[in-house]
Amino acid sequence: MNCKILLINNLFFTFLTFLLSDPAEGTATTPWFFNRLQFQLLGSGIFCDNIPGLSSAQKKLCRNSPDVMRDVGAGIQLAEEECQHQFRHRRWNCSIFSYQSRDTTLFTNFISRGSREVAFIHTIASAGVVQSLLMACSDGSLSNCECDPSKKNGKSRDSKGEFDWSGCSNNVKFGLKYAKSFTDAKESETRDLRGLMNLHNNNAGRRAIQKHLQLKCKCHGVSGSCGVRTCWKATQDFAIIGDFLKTKYNRAVKVDTTQDSTGKLVAVNSNRSLRKGDMVYMDESPDYCLHNPFVGSLGTERRTCSTNKRAKEEEHCDDMCCGKGFVSQTIIEDLNCDCKFQWCCYVQCEICRVKKDVSTCKSKHKKLSGNNSTVT
Ligand SMILES: *[C@@H]1O[C@H](CO)[C@@H](O)[C@H](O)[C@H]1NC(C)=O
Ligand SMILES: *[C@@H]1O[C@H](CO)[C@@H](O)[C@H](O)[C@H]1NC(C)=O
Ligand SMILES: *[C@@H]1O[C@H](CO)[C@@H](O)[C@H](O)[C@H]1NC(C)=O
Ligand SMILES: *[C@@H]1O[C@H](CO)[C@@H](O)[C@H](O)[C@H]1NC(C)=O
């Protein structure tokens, strides 16, 4: 069983990851358009009914607008990459996104907890989908999304004075509405704590994008005098969203439902009330030190860590290896270098040998042997 598909079943983004997974990892000659061909296949619509894990509401959305699915998929990939970047030096490093193993217990146990990490995954995936839809909408590649009609003509004001709306402002309403209908489809039926947690985090993800929309302007007039300004709303770089959500993760709020009939989410052990932009979780996380399928922890054996005093604490070997020790060695790495794009269409690289000092957490299972290794 491919756990990617399982993950996706559990979240809302079922089918895309198998289409999105790297076709042939590590080969320098893989054509760069490979993934795009896979996206185009989605347009044929045959997938919507055959994809395991989609709710009937999601299947309907998929059939009605298969080209939107391409952007949903791209948004998920955006989220996955940003998640792995944000957590690259942490014990939990978001590799669960691409976890493939026969050990589905570990995976299922991870995803069924309402931990902070699961909260992060939901929030950033929801944000990624909105971001991707807004981007597609404003560059005109999405057929059923028009430029925001309310911001196409007319004037408005900001701190620098009056300006004209121009170009294609992101159709924010469309992006938010579509993303909501897709991401919330599974949760809307269930009103238990976990369902409410997911809905809250999906919404927090959408808000993060909305909050970071920026006004971009261009000056017109005699020799750049800026007599006339035209402006449009645009999304921010997703890395900024990633940083923002990481802060939300650090301040995530533990929640429970009210005991009365309203069954709303409330913050527990906290003096402040819950805000819409908060990332919320319900279960404490394991420490992720040891491999433990029952709590969904991969463990940190053989993870690389830093002995540099200036490194962040979480990256430092003592913290990463949970005090269980680490091994430092010099390795010889074969790296791709001097890569050149060849017409058409592949990338050709030279191989460069470099010496490198690396530290890795000790492993109970296999002794690290030898002093050279090859990494590409
Ligand atoms: C809540 O506020 C009280 C009084 O200000 C304080 O003693 C307590 O530690 C606070 N609790 C939390 C969880 O912050
Ligand atoms: C992330 O953590 C897992 C489990 O500890 C490990 O197998 C994987 O190599 C790590 N990935 C990166 C990029 O460090
Ligand atoms: C180191 O690499 C060389 C050539 O790549 C190989 O012949 C040798 O067995 C390796 N040594 C160890 C200890 O792995
Ligand atoms: C491996 O380590 C041994 C001693 O620790 C050293 O003599 C040898 O030159 C090293 N080999 C490489 C390829 O670094």
Side-chain angles (χ1 to χ4, degrees), residues 260-303:
D260 59 30
S261 59
T262 60
K264 284 196 181 125
L265 284 184
V266 282
V268 293
N269 303 329
S270 168
N271 283 337
R272 71 171 179 83
S273 55
L274 194 60
R275 298 191 198 115
K276 284 191 172 157
D278 286 331
M279 198 176 288
V280 300
Y281 69 101
M282 53 191 260
D283 297 323
E284 295 301 338
S285 303
D287 60 17
Y288 297 108
C289 283
L290 298 175
H291 183 88
N292 182 351
F294 299 104
V295 296
S297 166
L298 286 165
T300 62
E301 284 186 0
R302 291 192 284 276
R303 281 285 300 279

mmCIF file of all heavy atoms in Angstrom, residues 260-303:
data_model
loop_
_atom_site.group_PDB
_atom_site.id
_atom_site.type_symbol
_atom_site.label_atom_id
_atom_site.label_comp_id
_atom_site.label_asym_id
_atom_site.label_seq_id
_atom_site.Cartn_x
_atom_site.Cartn_y
_atom_site.Cartn_z
ATOM 1 N N ASP A 260 -21.679 22.002 26.328
ATOM 2 C CA ASP A 260 -23.117 22.202 26.094
ATOM 3 C C ASP A 260 -23.498 21.776 24.672
ATOM 4 O O ASP A 260 -22.685 21.244 23.930
ATOM 5 C CB ASP A 260 -23.489 23.676 26.346
ATOM 6 C CG ASP A 260 -22.702 24.615 25.436
ATOM 7 O OD1 ASP A 260 -22.351 24.199 24.317
ATOM 8 O OD2 ASP A 260 -22.421 25.750 25.856
ATOM 9 N N SER A 261 -24.734 22.046 24.301
ATOM 10 C CA SER A 261 -25.242 21.543 23.023
ATOM 11 C C SER A 261 -24.648 22.263 21.816
ATOM 12 O O SER A 261 -24.727 21.766 20.699
ATOM 13 C CB SER A 261 -26.763 21.681 22.999
ATOM 14 O OG SER A 261 -27.093 23.042 23.180
ATOM 15 N N THR A 262 -24.035 23.453 22.026
ATOM 16 C CA THR A 262 -23.508 24.183 20.880
ATOM 17 C C THR A 262 -22.281 23.496 20.281
ATOM 18 O O THR A 262 -22.033 23.603 19.081
ATOM 19 C CB THR A 262 -23.122 25.635 21.251
ATOM 20 O OG1 THR A 262 -22.127 25.581 22.271
ATOM 21 C CG2 THR A 262 -24.317 26.426 21.719
ATOM 22 N N GLY A 263 -21.539 22.786 21.119
ATOM 23 C CA GLY A 263 -20.391 22.034 20.636
ATOM 24 C C GLY A 263 -19.387 22.840 19.852
ATOM 25 O O GLY A 263 -18.921 22.424 18.804
ATOM 26 N N LYS A 264 -19.046 24.024 20.355
ATOM 27 C CA LYS A 264 -18.064 24.849 19.655
ATOM 28 C C LYS A 264 -16.663 24.564 20.163
ATOM 29 O O LYS A 264 -16.483 24.023 21.249
ATOM 30 C CB LYS A 264 -18.390 26.328 19.888
ATOM 31 C CG LYS A 264 -19.555 26.818 19.061
ATOM 32 C CD LYS A 264 -19.557 28.342 19.041
ATOM 33 C CE LYS A 264 -20.731 28.866 18.235
ATOM 34 N NZ LYS A 264 -21.560 29.791 19.003
ATOM 35 N N LEU A 265 -15.675 24.973 19.370
ATOM 36 C CA LEU A 265 -14.287 24.812 19.808
ATOM 37 C C LEU A 265 -13.945 25.870 20.843
ATOM 38 O O LEU A 265 -14.284 27.037 20.680
ATOM 39 C CB LEU A 265 -13.325 24.974 18.632
ATOM 40 C CG LEU A 265 -13.185 23.845 17.623
ATOM 41 C CD1 LEU A 265 -12.101 24.199 16.623
ATOM 42 C CD2 LEU A 265 -12.862 22.525 18.301
ATOM 43 N N VAL A 266 -13.268 25.441 21.902
ATOM 44 C CA VAL A 266 -12.752 26.418 22.867
ATOM 45 C C VAL A 266 -11.299 26.075 23.194
ATOM 46 O O VAL A 266 -10.887 24.917 23.151
ATOM 47 C CB VAL A 266 -13.552 26.424 24.193
ATOM 48 C CG1 VAL A 266 -14.863 27.166 24.035
ATOM 49 C CG2 VAL A 266 -13.755 25.012 24.707
ATOM 50 N N ALA A 267 -10.533 27.119 23.508
ATOM 51 C CA ALA A 267 -9.141 26.913 23.887
ATOM 52 C C ALA A 267 -9.092 26.319 25.289
ATOM 53 O O ALA A 267 -9.865 26.705 26.154
ATOM 54 C CB ALA A 267 -8.405 28.251 23.854
ATOM 55 N N VAL A 268 -8.205 25.368 25.504
ATOM 56 C CA VAL A 268 -8.039 24.835 26.859
ATOM 57 C C VAL A 268 -6.691 25.284 27.405
ATOM 58 O O VAL A 268 -5.760 25.538 26.648
ATOM 59 C CB VAL A 268 -8.152 23.285 26.919
ATOM 60 C CG1 VAL A 268 -9.547 22.841 26.582
ATOM 61 C CG2 VAL A 268 -7.138 22.616 26.004
ATOM 62 N N ASN A 269 -6.573 25.369 28.691
ATOM 63 C CA ASN A 269 -5.345 25.816 29.367
ATOM 64 C C ASN A 269 -4.839 27.138 28.832
ATOM 65 O O ASN A 269 -3.656 27.356 28.689
ATOM 66 C CB ASN A 269 -4.200 24.808 29.185
ATOM 67 C CG ASN A 269 -4.571 23.450 29.686
ATOM 68 O OD1 ASN A 269 -5.362 23.330 30.625
ATOM 69 N ND2 ASN A 269 -4.014 22.428 29.067
ATOM 70 N N SER A 270 -5.735 27.994 28.486
ATOM 71 C CA SER A 270 -5.283 29.262 27.944
ATOM 72 C C SER A 270 -6.180 30.374 28.447
ATOM 73 O O SER A 270 -7.372 30.177 28.651
ATOM 74 C CB SER A 270 -5.318 29.218 26.420
ATOM 75 O OG SER A 270 -5.141 30.503 25.904
ATOM 76 N N ASN A 271 -5.581 31.520 28.656
ATOM 77 C CA ASN A 271 -6.355 32.654 29.165
ATOM 78 C C ASN A 271 -6.997 33.456 28.061
ATOM 79 O O ASN A 271 -7.794 34.328 28.315
ATOM 80 C CB ASN A 271 -5.451 33.577 29.990
ATOM 81 C CG ASN A 271 -5.192 32.971 31.355
ATOM 82 O OD1 ASN A 271 -5.965 32.150 31.836
ATOM 83 N ND2 ASN A 271 -4.102 33.371 31.962
ATOM 84 N N ARG A 272 -6.624 33.174 26.858
ATOM 85 C CA ARG A 272 -7.223 33.982 25.802
ATOM 86 C C ARG A 272 -8.182 33.145 24.964
ATOM 87 O O ARG A 272 -8.070 31.926 24.886
ATOM 88 C CB ARG A 272 -6.148 34.617 24.940
ATOM 89 C CG ARG A 272 -5.399 33.672 24.040
ATOM 90 C CD ARG A 272 -4.535 34.520 23.103
ATOM 91 N NE ARG A 272 -3.747 33.720 22.203
ATOM 92 C CZ ARG A 272 -4.200 33.224 21.065
ATOM 93 N NH1 ARG A 272 -5.470 33.362 20.729
ATOM 94 N NH2 ARG A 272 -3.396 32.541 20.278
ATOM 95 N N SER A 273 -9.119 33.836 24.351
ATOM 96 C CA SER A 273 -10.099 33.087 23.575
ATOM 97 C C SER A 273 -9.537 32.769 22.201
ATOM 98 O O SER A 273 -8.587 33.388 21.729
ATOM 99 C CB SER A 273 -11.393 33.892 23.455
ATOM 100 O OG SER A 273 -11.097 35.151 22.913
ATOM 101 N N LEU A 274 -10.146 31.788 21.592
ATOM 102 C CA LEU A 274 -9.686 31.291 20.306
ATOM 103 C C LEU A 274 -9.923 32.326 19.217
ATOM 104 O O LEU A 274 -10.964 32.957 19.166
ATOM 105 C CB LEU A 274 -10.476 30.017 20.006
ATOM 106 C CG LEU A 274 -9.987 29.113 18.905
ATOM 107 C CD1 LEU A 274 -8.584 28.625 19.211
ATOM 108 C CD2 LEU A 274 -10.940 27.926 18.780
ATOM 109 N N ARG A 275 -8.926 32.497 18.344
ATOM 110 C CA ARG A 275 -9.099 33.399 17.206
ATOM 111 C C ARG A 275 -9.160 32.594 15.919
ATOM 112 O O ARG A 275 -8.605 31.504 15.843
ATOM 113 C CB ARG A 275 -7.934 34.382 17.130
ATOM 114 C CG ARG A 275 -7.828 35.255 18.338
ATOM 115 C CD ARG A 275 -6.832 36.382 18.087
ATOM 116 N NE ARG A 275 -6.414 36.941 19.360
ATOM 117 C CZ ARG A 275 -5.164 36.870 19.820
ATOM 118 N NH1 ARG A 275 -4.215 36.295 19.115
ATOM 119 N NH2 ARG A 275 -4.861 37.387 20.999
ATOM 120 N N LYS A 276 -9.788 33.212 14.934
ATOM 121 C CA LYS A 276 -9.985 32.485 13.669
ATOM 122 C C LYS A 276 -8.677 32.104 12.984
ATOM 123 O O LYS A 276 -8.606 31.121 12.283
ATOM 124 C CB LYS A 276 -10.842 33.321 12.724
ATOM 125 C CG LYS A 276 -12.304 33.295 13.101
ATOM 126 C CD LYS A 276 -13.159 33.899 12.009
ATOM 127 C CE LYS A 276 -14.633 33.682 12.330
ATOM 128 N NZ LYS A 276 -15.489 34.649 11.648
ATOM 129 N N GLY A 277 -7.655 32.930 13.178
ATOM 130 C CA GLY A 277 -6.391 32.646 12.504
ATOM 131 C C GLY A 277 -5.507 31.653 13.252
ATOM 132 O O GLY A 277 -4.443 31.280 12.751
ATOM 133 N N ASP A 278 -5.917 31.224 14.443
ATOM 134 C CA ASP A 278 -5.092 30.296 15.221
ATOM 135 C C ASP A 278 -4.995 28.931 14.570
ATOM 136 O O ASP A 278 -5.955 28.457 13.969
ATOM 137 C CB ASP A 278 -5.701 30.082 16.619
ATOM 138 C CG ASP A 278 -5.495 31.282 17.529
ATOM 139 O OD1 ASP A 278 -4.497 31.999 17.349
ATOM 140 O OD2 ASP A 278 -6.341 31.474 18.424
ATOM 141 N N MET A 279 -3.849 28.307 14.724
ATOM 142 C CA MET A 279 -3.732 26.907 14.356
ATOM 143 C C MET A 279 -4.126 26.116 15.597
ATOM 144 O O MET A 279 -3.683 26.445 16.695
ATOM 145 C CB MET A 279 -2.292 26.604 13.962
ATOM 146 C CG MET A 279 -2.125 25.330 13.169
ATOM 147 S SD MET A 279 -0.394 25.119 12.661
ATOM 148 C CE MET A 279 -0.218 26.365 11.414
ATOM 149 N N VAL A 280 -5.002 25.143 15.447
ATOM 150 C CA VAL A 280 -5.477 24.421 16.629
ATOM 151 C C VAL A 280 -5.164 22.932 16.561
ATOM 152 O O VAL A 280 -5.114 22.343 15.483
ATOM 153 C CB VAL A 280 -7.001 24.619 16.848
ATOM 154 C CG1 VAL A 280 -7.336 26.079 17.037
ATOM 155 C CG2 VAL A 280 -7.816 24.015 15.715
ATOM 156 N N TYR A 281 -4.924 22.354 17.736
ATOM 157 C CA TYR A 281 -4.663 20.909 17.812
ATOM 158 C C TYR A 281 -5.385 20.347 19.020
ATOM 159 O O TYR A 281 -5.867 21.107 19.882
ATOM 160 C CB TYR A 281 -3.161 20.639 17.894
ATOM 161 C CG TYR A 281 -2.512 21.077 19.196
ATOM 162 C CD1 TYR A 281 -2.219 20.154 20.203
ATOM 163 C CD2 TYR A 281 -2.200 22.421 19.416
ATOM 164 C CE1 TYR A 281 -1.637 20.557 21.391
ATOM 165 C CE2 TYR A 281 -1.619 22.826 20.597
ATOM 166 C CZ TYR A 281 -1.344 21.892 21.586
ATOM 167 O OH TYR A 281 -0.766 22.300 22.764
ATOM 168 N N MET A 282 -5.502 19.030 19.099
ATOM 169 C CA MET A 282 -6.202 18.435 20.241
ATOM 170 C C MET A 282 -5.367 17.409 20.994
ATOM 171 O O MET A 282 -5.628 17.139 22.152
ATOM 172 C CB MET A 282 -7.521 17.816 19.780
ATOM 173 C CG MET A 282 -7.360 16.846 18.616
ATOM 174 S SD MET A 282 -8.933 16.377 17.880
ATOM 175 C CE MET A 282 -9.150 14.779 18.652
ATOM 176 N N ASP A 283 -4.360 16.834 20.359
ATOM 177 C CA ASP A 283 -3.544 15.815 21.040
ATOM 178 C C ASP A 283 -2.104 16.290 21.157
ATOM 179 O O ASP A 283 -1.570 16.900 20.230
ATOM 180 C CB ASP A 283 -3.532 14.512 20.235
ATOM 181 C CG ASP A 283 -4.911 13.890 20.121
ATOM 182 O OD1 ASP A 283 -5.666 13.967 21.107
ATOM 183 O OD2 ASP A 283 -5.238 13.357 19.044
ATOM 184 N N GLU A 284 -1.473 15.983 22.274
ATOM 185 C CA GLU A 284 -0.063 16.312 22.434
ATOM 186 C C GLU A 284 0.755 15.467 21.465
ATOM 187 O O GLU A 284 0.389 14.335 21.138
ATOM 188 C CB GLU A 284 0.395 16.044 23.870
ATOM 189 C CG GLU A 284 -0.265 16.934 24.923
ATOM 190 C CD GLU A 284 -0.025 18.430 24.704
ATOM 191 O OE1 GLU A 284 0.962 18.784 24.027
ATOM 192 O OE2 GLU A 284 -0.835 19.236 25.196
ATOM 193 N N SER A 285 1.871 16.020 21.027
ATOM 194 C CA SER A 285 2.734 15.300 20.092
ATOM 195 C C SER A 285 3.675 14.376 20.845
ATOM 196 O O SER A 285 4.064 14.684 21.969
ATOM 197 C CB SER A 285 3.581 16.296 19.316
ATOM 198 O OG SER A 285 2.786 17.220 18.645
ATOM 199 N N PRO A 286 4.077 13.271 20.220
ATOM 200 C CA PRO A 286 5.180 12.498 20.794
ATOM 201 C C PRO A 286 6.467 13.308 20.610
ATOM 202 O O PRO A 286 6.461 14.315 19.912
ATOM 203 C CB PRO A 286 5.198 11.231 19.937
ATOM 204 C CG PRO A 286 4.584 11.623 18.643
ATOM 205 C CD PRO A 286 3.598 12.716 18.951
ATOM 206 N N ASP A 287 7.583 12.879 21.245
ATOM 207 C CA ASP A 287 8.809 13.667 21.073
ATOM 208 C C ASP A 287 9.531 13.341 19.763
ATOM 209 O O ASP A 287 10.505 13.981 19.416
ATOM 210 C CB ASP A 287 9.738 13.537 22.283
ATOM 211 C CG ASP A 287 10.177 12.099 22.543
ATOM 212 O OD1 ASP A 287 10.044 11.250 21.620
ATOM 213 O OD2 ASP A 287 10.651 11.809 23.656
ATOM 214 N N TYR A 288 9.049 12.353 19.036
ATOM 215 C CA TYR A 288 9.614 11.955 17.740
ATOM 216 C C TYR A 288 11.073 11.499 17.829
ATOM 217 O O TYR A 288 11.792 11.510 16.837
ATOM 218 C CB TYR A 288 9.490 13.078 16.694
ATOM 219 C CG TYR A 288 8.050 13.448 16.379
ATOM 220 C CD1 TYR A 288 7.505 14.653 16.811
ATOM 221 C CD2 TYR A 288 7.224 12.578 15.658
ATOM 222 C CE1 TYR A 288 6.182 14.981 16.537
ATOM 223 C CE2 TYR A 288 5.904 12.907 15.378
ATOM 224 C CZ TYR A 288 5.395 14.103 15.812
ATOM 225 O OH TYR A 288 4.083 14.431 15.539
ATOM 226 N N CYS A 289 11.521 11.096 19.020
ATOM 227 C CA CYS A 289 12.903 10.649 19.179
ATOM 228 C C CYS A 289 13.106 9.243 18.634
ATOM 229 O O CYS A 289 14.057 8.977 17.914
ATOM 230 C CB CYS A 289 13.296 10.659 20.657
ATOM 231 S SG CYS A 289 13.660 12.305 21.284
ATOM 232 N N LEU A 290 12.212 8.340 19.006
ATOM 233 C CA LEU A 290 12.389 6.941 18.638
ATOM 234 C C LEU A 290 11.406 6.528 17.560
ATOM 235 O O LEU A 290 10.341 7.113 17.420
ATOM 236 C CB LEU A 290 12.165 6.049 19.867
ATOM 237 C CG LEU A 290 13.127 6.268 21.029
ATOM 238 C CD1 LEU A 290 12.708 5.420 22.218
ATOM 239 C CD2 LEU A 290 14.556 5.933 20.599
ATOM 240 N N HIS A 291 11.807 5.503 16.841
ATOM 241 C CA HIS A 291 10.888 4.930 15.867
ATOM 242 C C HIS A 291 9.784 4.210 16.642
ATOM 243 O O HIS A 291 10.054 3.258 17.362
ATOM 244 C CB HIS A 291 11.641 3.945 14.976
ATOM 245 C CG HIS A 291 10.791 3.362 13.903
ATOM 246 N ND1 HIS A 291 10.635 3.964 12.670
ATOM 247 C CD2 HIS A 291 10.034 2.251 13.871
ATOM 248 C CE1 HIS A 291 9.822 3.241 11.926
ATOM 249 N NE2 HIS A 291 9.446 2.193 12.636
ATOM 250 N N ASN A 292 8.577 4.694 16.515
ATOM 251 C CA ASN A 292 7.479 4.079 17.246
ATOM 252 C C ASN A 292 6.186 4.171 16.448
ATOM 253 O O ASN A 292 5.517 5.197 16.426
ATOM 254 C CB ASN A 292 7.313 4.782 18.606
ATOM 255 C CG ASN A 292 6.214 4.152 19.437
ATOM 256 O OD1 ASN A 292 5.453 3.307 18.960
ATOM 257 N ND2 ASN A 292 6.118 4.575 20.692
ATOM 258 N N PRO A 293 5.867 3.068 15.766
ATOM 259 C CA PRO A 293 4.685 3.065 14.904
ATOM 260 C C PRO A 293 3.404 3.411 15.660
ATOM 261 O O PRO A 293 2.482 3.976 15.071
ATOM 262 C CB PRO A 293 4.603 1.622 14.390
ATOM 263 C CG PRO A 293 5.933 1.031 14.643
ATOM 264 C CD PRO A 293 6.548 1.768 15.787
ATOM 265 N N PHE A 294 3.384 3.110 16.959
ATOM 266 C CA PHE A 294 2.124 3.284 17.684
ATOM 267 C C PHE A 294 1.784 4.742 17.960
ATOM 268 O O PHE A 294 0.643 5.087 18.206
ATOM 269 C CB PHE A 294 2.144 2.450 18.971
ATOM 270 C CG PHE A 294 2.297 0.996 18.642
ATOM 271 C CD1 PHE A 294 3.516 0.357 18.812
ATOM 272 C CD2 PHE A 294 1.233 0.283 18.096
ATOM 273 C CE1 PHE A 294 3.670 -0.969 18.455
ATOM 274 C CE2 PHE A 294 1.384 -1.054 17.737
ATOM 275 C CZ PHE A 294 2.608 -1.683 17.908
ATOM 276 N N VAL A 295 2.804 5.581 17.930
ATOM 277 C CA VAL A 295 2.500 7.011 18.067
ATOM 278 C C VAL A 295 2.780 7.763 16.764
ATOM 279 O O VAL A 295 2.731 8.984 16.713
ATOM 280 C CB VAL A 295 3.278 7.672 19.236
ATOM 281 C CG1 VAL A 295 2.859 7.071 20.558
ATOM 282 C CG2 VAL A 295 4.786 7.548 19.040
ATOM 283 N N GLY A 296 3.098 7.022 15.716
ATOM 284 C CA GLY A 296 3.332 7.652 14.421
ATOM 285 C C GLY A 296 4.641 8.402 14.339
ATOM 286 O O GLY A 296 4.741 9.420 13.670
ATOM 287 N N SER A 297 5.667 7.886 15.045
ATOM 288 C CA SER A 297 6.962 8.567 15.042
ATOM 289 C C SER A 297 7.997 7.784 14.249
ATOM 290 O O SER A 297 8.185 6.587 14.458
ATOM 291 C CB SER A 297 7.449 8.735 16.487
ATOM 292 O OG SER A 297 8.816 9.089 16.507
ATOM 293 N N LEU A 298 8.683 8.458 13.335
ATOM 294 C CA LEU A 298 9.714 7.812 12.523
ATOM 295 C C LEU A 298 11.034 7.706 13.267
ATOM 296 O O LEU A 298 11.878 6.882 12.940
ATOM 297 C CB LEU A 298 9.942 8.599 11.229
ATOM 298 C CG LEU A 298 8.876 8.491 10.150
ATOM 299 C CD1 LEU A 298 9.056 9.591 9.127
ATOM 300 C CD2 LEU A 298 8.935 7.137 9.478
ATOM 301 N N GLY A 299 11.252 8.567 14.254
ATOM 302 C CA GLY A 299 12.511 8.567 14.989
ATOM 303 C C GLY A 299 13.599 9.320 14.254
ATOM 304 O O GLY A 299 13.435 9.685 13.088
ATOM 305 N N THR A 300 14.714 9.560 14.946
ATOM 306 C CA THR A 300 15.767 10.377 14.330
ATOM 307 C C THR A 300 17.063 9.614 14.096
ATOM 308 O O THR A 300 18.097 10.220 13.843
ATOM 309 C CB THR A 300 16.074 11.622 15.192
ATOM 310 O OG1 THR A 300 16.558 11.197 16.465
ATOM 311 C CG2 THR A 300 14.861 12.485 15.367
ATOM 312 N N GLU A 301 17.029 8.289 14.183
ATOM 313 C CA GLU A 301 18.235 7.524 13.891
ATOM 314 C C GLU A 301 18.761 7.876 12.516
ATOM 315 O O GLU A 301 17.997 7.979 11.551
ATOM 316 C CB GLU A 301 17.918 6.027 13.912
ATOM 317 C CG GLU A 301 17.761 5.492 15.317
ATOM 318 C CD GLU A 301 17.600 3.978 15.329
ATOM 319 O OE1 GLU A 301 17.608 3.363 14.246
ATOM 320 O OE2 GLU A 301 17.472 3.423 16.424
ATOM 321 N N ARG A 302 20.078 8.074 12.446
ATOM 322 C CA ARG A 302 20.764 8.366 11.182
ATOM 323 C C ARG A 302 20.384 9.710 10.558
ATOM 324 O O ARG A 302 20.764 9.993 9.430
ATOM 325 C CB ARG A 302 20.541 7.250 10.151
ATOM 326 C CG ARG A 302 21.257 5.964 10.533
ATOM 327 C CD ARG A 302 21.288 4.966 9.404
ATOM 328 N NE ARG A 302 20.014 4.297 9.221
ATOM 329 C CZ ARG A 302 19.625 3.236 9.909
ATOM 330 N NH1 ARG A 302 20.419 2.709 10.823
ATOM 331 N NH2 ARG A 302 18.460 2.683 9.705
ATOM 332 N N ARG A 303 19.665 10.535 11.294
ATOM 333 C CA ARG A 303 19.410 11.891 10.785
ATOM 334 C C ARG A 303 20.696 12.698 10.888
ATOM 335 O O ARG A 303 21.441 12.559 11.847
ATOM 336 C CB ARG A 303 18.322 12.582 11.609
ATOM 337 C CG ARG A 303 16.914 12.170 11.270
ATOM 338 C CD ARG A 303 16.428 12.762 9.961
ATOM 339 N NE ARG A 303 16.433 14.228 9.951
ATOM 340 C CZ ARG A 303 15.482 14.973 10.494
ATOM 341 N NH1 ARG A 303 14.437 14.413 11.049
ATOM 342 N NH2 ARG A 303 15.568 16.299 10.448
#
